[in-house]
Amino acid sequence: VADQRDLANEAALAAMARHALHDEELVAGYAANGLESEAEIAQARVLVDRCTVCRDLHRDIAAIGSALAVEGTFTTKAPRDFRLTVEDAHLLGGRVVTRGFLASLRRSLAGLARPIGGTMATFGLIGLLVGSAALSGGGATGALSGAAPTSAPAELQAGGTQPGPKSSTTDTAFGPMATVESTRAGAGGDRDLTAVRGTNPALWLLGGSVALLLVGIGLLLVARRRARGTDDSS
Amino acid sequence: VEDLRATTVTDDPVQRRDLILLDRAREGDLAAFNDLVVAYQDMLFALVVRMVPDRDQASDAVQEAFFSAYRNMAGFRGGSVKSWLSRIAINAAMDAQRLKKRRPADPYPELEDEAWQPPADASADPVTTALTTERHRALNGALARITNDQRTAIVLYDVEGYDYAEIAELTRVSVGTVKSRIHRGRLALRGLLEDRMDLFRG
């Protein structure tokens, strides 16, 4: 028995001596399936097959790997509450209240976007129709009797000048150009200026209506997009 | 503020919830951000305390991670909020490790093992549960004694399931260095657990 024991010890010592030259990291990599090169894998396999110490190492490291994988299933509670206070948020960004205010303002405006947008678009459309009718139907001054100054006929009577080509110029000219044309009118300037003033409301009404319509449609689109986003999130 | 829901399409309800909360937080809604904190504080603490085995330091690191997340919300470019927060927490943990390295006189204290809960498995018999818990204690004790770099690599690879390339990116080293740290770390663990390997041999 003693001889057998000695032989076993000698064999173990010999194995240890041989193992001293072996690359343990290679065996560890092999156990973790972390080797990529075929040569390294083959070398590690030879070590594990032929060296008992390497074989034990391989087995142990694989077992530790399995135990580590189970570690991820253990849970623990955070020892304190990590929620940020308003003071923290101020220190970190300094804009939390402002941003919160802006956010709530944006949400409130988003809620109003549909009614306001609808109203604006409606008024824009009406304005556009009225403006177009005013321009197309018998000249701006005549058609816009409600909106334009009523002094035009009286002035025509007072000046005694027949409306001629100059007045047609004022029908088509707009803004500064119309003013230039009217100042060129000489003696009939007063009457022409009045005519220009009479034309402006129709054109301004048209321009304003188009702007109103576009803004209204924009607001409606924003409200629709917002509503879709809310539907998606809910 | 970029609408995250518009840029990131996901079917995962948790991820959708996270994106909505982050979107609101970015608009200045602190309560939405705090909802995210509540959702992830335990998970992030578990991750960080494995890398920094000192509950106080780990707590500070997690708090710092949430501060950093709040500061850098605008930089979030879509994807998983959980992954984003995890990355920030890993960076905070590595900062805590570096701080610890400058004060090596204070060793890591013994972990409060009672704070960890084994996986809830009603079918597991008490012996198996006890063995799992004992393994966990032995392993955690050994993990606390290997180097920070090795522990970080092992925790990220074996416990958290990141791949080599992701760990290399997170820790700003090469893939080869990551592999070497993992393999050496496992060897070191085996050396530390030599007397208790019967627990692990099945």
Side-chain angles (χ1 to χ4, degrees), chain B residues 49-54 100 106-111 136-148 151 155 189 192:
Chain B
V49 81
R50 283 185 176 113
M51 290 174 64
V52 185
D54 176 331
K100 184 82 181 169
D106 313 325
Y108 284 123
E110 282 291 314
L111 275 178
H136 161 81
R137 280 187 187 161
L139 206 47
N140 255 9
L143 271 172
R145 289 159 66 194
I146 61 176
T147 69
N148 284 333
R151 184 171 51 253
V155 166
L189 286 177
L192 290 165

Side-chain angles (χ1 to χ4, degrees), chain A residues 97-183:
Chain A
V97 171
T98 316
R99 288 197 308 195
F101 172 72
L102 285 176
S104 62
L105 189 68
R106 198 178 302 167
R107 274 195 286 275
S108 313
L109 286 178
L112 292 172
R114 186 186 291 271
I116 291 177
T119 310
M120 286 175 87
T122 308
F123 277 114
L125 201 61
I126 293 169
L128 202 63
L129 291 171
V130 171
S132 304
L135 275 182
S136 60
T141 49
L144 280 172
S145 56
T150 52
S151 59
E155 288 199 12
L156 280 173
Q157 282 171 4
T161 316
Q162 293 298 316
K166 285 169 194 165
S167 63
S168 69
T169 309
T170 57
D171 279 349
T172 50
F174 180 68
M177 200 60 188
T179 314
V180 170
E181 290 295 324
S182 66
T183 48

Side-chain angles (χ1 to χ4, degrees), chain A residues 25 29 32 34 36 57 59-60 63 68 71 73-76 78-80 82-84 92 99 103 232, chain B residues 16 27 34 41-42 45 50 59 63 70-71 115-117 119 136 140 164 179-180 184 186 190 200-201:
Chain A
E25 202 178 322
E36 279 175 11
L57 183 67
R59 183 194 56 191
D60 288 352
L68 282 167
E71 272 298 293
T73 59
F74 275 77
T75 54
T76 189
R80 65 175 194 240
F82 294 110
R83 278 180 291 184
L84 272 63
L92 293 167
R99 288 197 308 195
D232 286 349
Chain B
R16 281 180 65 80
E27 286 181 350
N34 280 335
Q41 61 184 0
D42 289 344
F45 179 75
R50 283 185 176 113
S59 288
Q63 187 70 80
Y70 187 81
R71 263 195 305 264
W116 291 92
Q117 293 298 316
H136 161 81
N140 255 9
Y164 294 127
K179 285 184 179 180
S180 177
R184 286 183 185 174
R186 284 187 174 193
R190 198 252 189 174
F200 298 89
R201 283 174 186 150

Side-chain angles (χ1 to χ4, degrees), chain B residues 130-177:
Chain B
L131 187 65
T132 309
T133 306
E134 199 53 37
R135 268 185 205 150
H136 161 81
R137 280 187 187 161
L139 206 47
N140 255 9
L143 271 172
R145 289 159 66 194
I146 61 176
T147 69
N148 284 333
D149 290 340
Q150 290 172 354
R151 184 171 51 253
T152 298
I154 283 180
V155 166
L156 294 181
Y157 183 77
D158 287 312
V159 182
E160 299 294 330
Y162 287 91
D163 63 31
Y164 294 127
E166 286 173 319
I167 300 168
E169 190 203 330
L170 281 166
T171 53
R172 297 178 198 92
V173 293
S174 69
V175 170
T177 304

Side-chain angles (χ1 to χ4, degrees), chain B:
Chain B
V1 176
E2 186 186 356
D3 187 352
L4 299 173
R5 286 166 296 177
T7 54
T8 314
V9 179
T10 171
D11 293 330
D12 181 2
V14 174
Q15 213 165 315
R16 281 180 65 80
R17 177 208 64 185
D18 292 350
L19 290 173
I20 291 164
L21 287 175
L22 193 63
D23 206 18
R24 287 182 189 160
R26 286 164 66 162
E27 286 181 350
D29 186 346
L30 181 60
F33 184 83
N34 280 335
D35 285 346
L36 278 176
V37 173
V38 170
Y40 288 112
Q41 61 184 0
D42 289 344
M43 186 274 284
L44 292 183
F45 179 75
L47 164 64
V48 171
V49 81
R50 283 185 176 113
M51 290 174 64
V52 185
D54 176 331
R55 294 181 78 82
D56 291 337
Q57 283 184 29
S59 288
D60 291 345
V62 173
Q63 187 70 80
E64 191 49 53
F66 281 122
F67 284 165
S68 177
Y70 187 81
R71 263 195 305 264
N72 298 301
M73 278 189 295
F76 180 77
R77 291 279 170 266
S80 161
V81 176
K82 183 181 172 183
S83 300
W84 176 67
L85 286 173
S86 298
R87 280 166 183 267
I88 294 173
I90 289 165
N91 279 327
M94 288 195 297
D95 286 345
Q97 286 175 344
R98 277 189 281 272
L99 202 69
K100 184 82 181 169
K101 213 181 257 182
R102 278 186 242 134
R103 289 180 297 180
D106 313 325
Y108 284 123
E110 282 291 314
L111 275 178
E112 301 163 37
D113 289 309
E114 290 70 26
W116 291 92
Q117 293 298 316
D121 185 359
S123 63
D125 63 290
V127 176
T128 308
T129 307
L131 187 65
T132 309
T133 306
E134 199 53 37
R135 268 185 205 150
H136 161 81
R137 280 187 187 161
L139 206 47
N140 255 9
L143 271 172
R145 289 159 66 194
I146 61 176
T147 69
N148 284 333
D149 290 340
Q150 290 172 354
R151 184 171 51 253
T152 298
I154 283 180
V155 166
L156 294 181
Y157 183 77
D158 287 312
V159 182
E160 299 294 330
Y162 287 91
D163 63 31
Y164 294 127
E166 286 173 319
I167 300 168
E169 190 203 330
L170 281 166
T171 53
R172 297 178 198 92
V173 293
S174 69
V175 170
T177 304
V178 171
K179 285 184 179 180
S180 177
R181 285 175 180 176
I182 292 171
H183 303 158
R184 286 183 185 174
R186 284 187 174 193
L187 280 173
L189 286 177
R190 198 252 189 174
L192 290 165
L193 294 168
E194 203 162 17
D195 297 338
R196 310 203 66 188
M197 278 313 297
D198 52 323
L199 276 174
F200 298 89
R201 283 174 186 150

